[in-house]
Amino acid sequence: MNDLAGKHIVLGLTGGIACYKAAELCRALVKEGATVQVVMTEASEQFITPVTMQALSGRPVYTSQWDAREPNNMPHINLSRQSDAILIAPCSADFMAKLVHGRADELLSLMCLARPVDKVPLLIAPAMNREMWAHPATQRNMQQLADDGATILGVGSGFQACGETGDGRMLEPNELLEDLIAFFQPKALAGKKVVVTAGPTFEALDPIRGITNHSSGKMGFAIARAAREAGADVVLVAGPVHLPTPRGVRRIDVQSARDMLAATEGEAARADVFVATAAVADWRPATHSDQKIKKDGSGAAPTLAFVENPDILATVAKTARAKSGALFCVGFAAESHDLVKHATAKRERKGIPLLVGNIGPLTFGQDDNQMLLVDANGVQELPRASKLDCARRLVAEIAQRLQRR
Ligand code: CTP
């Protein structure tokens, strides 16, 4: 993955114990292809050394505005002009207050003040004790920074180094990385609401057993992430899978197809786009036992009868058509053979504008995928790529079609 290739990030560290996480963040940014220039305040040097940050970023660290390494002796100008974004992580309460007032008595705040506001975005990852975070002064400062054009990445909640528990922890390096990657993605779905179904369903036989399938949910989760990156408000209706929820996505966990339908119908009523990637069980057991089904000692196996599950995609698409609603429905078809023929027929049968076909065995559980887009104009084969890249491409294709309507 090289989602930050070509990006030059100034990573600013201010005084706080979360500086230990900045080391891992720096490494993660570099691994993702970014060049990273670290700038540290004097207070941050109490928590981590410039040596560590230099080794991880592969560049000398700047700690003073009086740095004669710069030919013009103006690191605050030069560093900010070269960067695609300035990320302050951790950002202390004191540093937020300084930024609000435009103070510039050391290099990092001086550089933030000197940056061309319309060209170099400023992202802030606050980190502080929960009382400091909750204090009206900090909350006021945060609002002011946002009004001044900074992006506040929020805080985590939990156990704090001071021994207290609450809001104010710096976000984890992987969360900050995901947020920064998202920040640079085009906002093709800004203001839109997107609902995605993902993963398998689980159809219970009794409290212990049930019928499910091997869907990993990876494609649906990637689409939820890509839609969120594109600026959408995203709801992910997920069957039982063990995947982390993409940043900024609201997740509703469900088990059965009928649960999934109920959750999806509620959300889709107010959505602009519905993407059905879930591998919904076509049938569920006709009966459900409240108690574990026991062997009766005769050696006879129980006979299982099934009934068909609702088709979530077809149902949601039909409701949207009946209301002449604007919901744009996208389906997936995993086939084992004759992909074009089956995918084309399936799009018509489900009554949807766009269907993504793929060869199931080549994509199940994998990290990459090859998509075939089928719409009223025909069939378009896309190159094999990671599921996240496929998801971003699909989101761009959906956004284009929304615009053309
Ligand atoms: N789908 C759904 N609800 C179902 C079955 C399928 O929402 N009960 C959705 C899937 O999420 C996917 C699309 O319909 O987007 C196609 O799923 P697929 O299993 O390939 O199609 P089926 O309709 O089950 O057709 P078949 O099994 O005959 O290929």
Side-chain angles (χ1 to χ4, degrees):
M1 289 218 297
N2 260 326
D3 282 334
L4 295 177
K7 298 286 185 227
H8 183 66
I9 309 296
V10 169
L11 177 60
L13 274 64
T14 70
I17 185 59
C19 277
Y20 81 93
K21 294 189 197 171
E24 202 178 326
L25 173 62
C26 178
R27 200 177 164 79
L29 296 174
V30 171
K31 266 173 98 175
E32 206 62 49
T35 51
V36 180
Q37 176 60 60
V38 177
V39 177
M40 295 174 65
T41 63
E42 200 181 327
S44 74
E45 290 184 68
Q46 297 289 325
F47 295 92
I48 191 167
T49 68
V51 175
T52 301
M53 298 310 293
Q54 176 170 351
L56 292 173
S57 64
R59 288 169 165 257
V61 171
Y62 284 76
T63 57
S64 162
Q65 73 264 42
W66 314 118
D67 196 318
R69 282 175 298 181
E70 294 292 308
N72 60 359
N73 216 314
M74 294 184 194
H76 63 297
I77 301 291
N78 306 345
L79 296 179
S80 63
R81 299 302 182 275
Q82 294 153 1
S83 72
D84 291 298
I86 298 173
L87 169 60
I88 313 284
C91 187
S92 66
D94 179 57
F95 199 77
M96 285 172 71
K98 276 176 95 162
L99 289 175
V100 164
H101 290 283
R103 291 191 53 197
D105 57 355
E106 42 69 49
L107 177 58
L108 190 57
S109 54
L110 178 61
M111 189 191 68
C112 290
L113 191 67
R115 84 187 203 281
V117 177
D118 49 342
K119 290 204 196 86
V120 182
L122 176 64
L123 294 92
I124 288 174
M128 64 200 74
N129 164 268
R130 67 190 175 108
E131 300 292 359
M132 293 167 74
W133 173 249
H135 196 285
T138 305
Q139 293 298 310
R140 217 168 34 236
N141 288 343
M142 182 179 65
Q143 189 54 52
Q144 186 60 55
L145 287 173
D147 291 348
D148 289 348
T151 299
I152 314 288
L153 298 174
V155 292
S157 191
F159 184 70
Q160 301 199 305
C162 51
E164 297 178 2
T165 301
D167 290 343
R169 285 167 57 97
M170 189 171 88
L171 294 173
E172 297 305 317
N174 63 324
E175 294 176 315
L176 291 174
L177 179 70
E178 202 174 315
D179 284 353
L180 189 65
I181 291 170
F183 182 82
F184 287 118
Q185 291 296 320
K187 301 292 171 242
L189 289 180
K192 304 288 182 200
K193 175 170 174 177
V194 176
V195 178
V196 182
T197 62
T201 61
F202 181 87
E203 311 296 333
L205 270 166
D206 66 19
I208 312 287
R209 311 180 185 94
I211 301 210
T212 187
N213 60 65
H214 280 306
S215 168
S216 67
K218 283 181 184 171
M219 195 62 221
F221 276 60
I223 290 169
R225 174 174 169 177
R228 162 73 187 156
E229 286 178 344
D233 170 19
V234 183
V235 178
L236 176 60
V237 183
V241 290
H242 299 285
L243 291 175
T245 311
R247 292 273 302 151
V249 166
R250 183 156 62 88
R251 173 174 178 170
I252 303 175
D253 283 319
V254 295
Q255 293 280 317
S256 70
R258 287 186 295 175
D259 295 343
M260 189 176 269
L261 176 65
T264 305
E265 277 189 309
E267 294 296 336
R270 291 174 303 281
D272 302 283
V273 178
F274 171 45
V275 187
T277 71
V280 183
D282 288 317
W283 303 280
R284 66 177 180 275
T287 55
H288 172 264
S289 167
D290 289 338
Q291 294 182 341
K292 185 181 177 191
I293 304 167
K294 307 291 282 181
K295 283 180 278 199
D296 63 8
S298 71
T303 309
L304 296 181
F306 291 93
V307 290
E308 196 170 320
N309 262 331
D311 187 319
I312 299 168
L313 175 57
T315 308
V316 168
K318 193 170 162 201
T319 309
R321 277 197 309 277
K323 287 194 201 156
S324 22
L327 183 68
F328 187 86
C329 294
V330 184
F332 268 69
E335 306 292 343
S336 61
H337 61 287
D338 289 340
L339 181 58
V340 173
K341 190 174 115 196
H342 287 306
T344 308
K346 199 168 276 183
R347 186 186 81 85
E348 276 163 27
R349 195 167 70 238
K350 305 245 177 188
I352 53 173
L354 180 62
L355 185 125
V356 183
N358 47 44
I359 294 292
L362 294 182
T363 175
F364 289 154
Q366 304 289 319
D367 288 325
D368 58 0
N369 195 2
Q370 181 158 22
M371 305 191 301
L372 186 82
L373 298 189
V374 184
D375 67 7
N377 298 323
V379 171
Q380 186 189 358
E381 199 174 318
L382 301 181
R384 196 166 187 89
S386 74
K387 284 190 173 167
L388 185 53
D389 282 340
C390 287
R392 287 179 182 145
R393 175 69 191 267
L394 179 62
V395 160
E397 295 279 345
I398 292 170
Q400 276 172 19
R401 285 166 173 80
L402 287 183
Q403 260 179 6
R404 285 206 293 264
R405 294 206 300 188

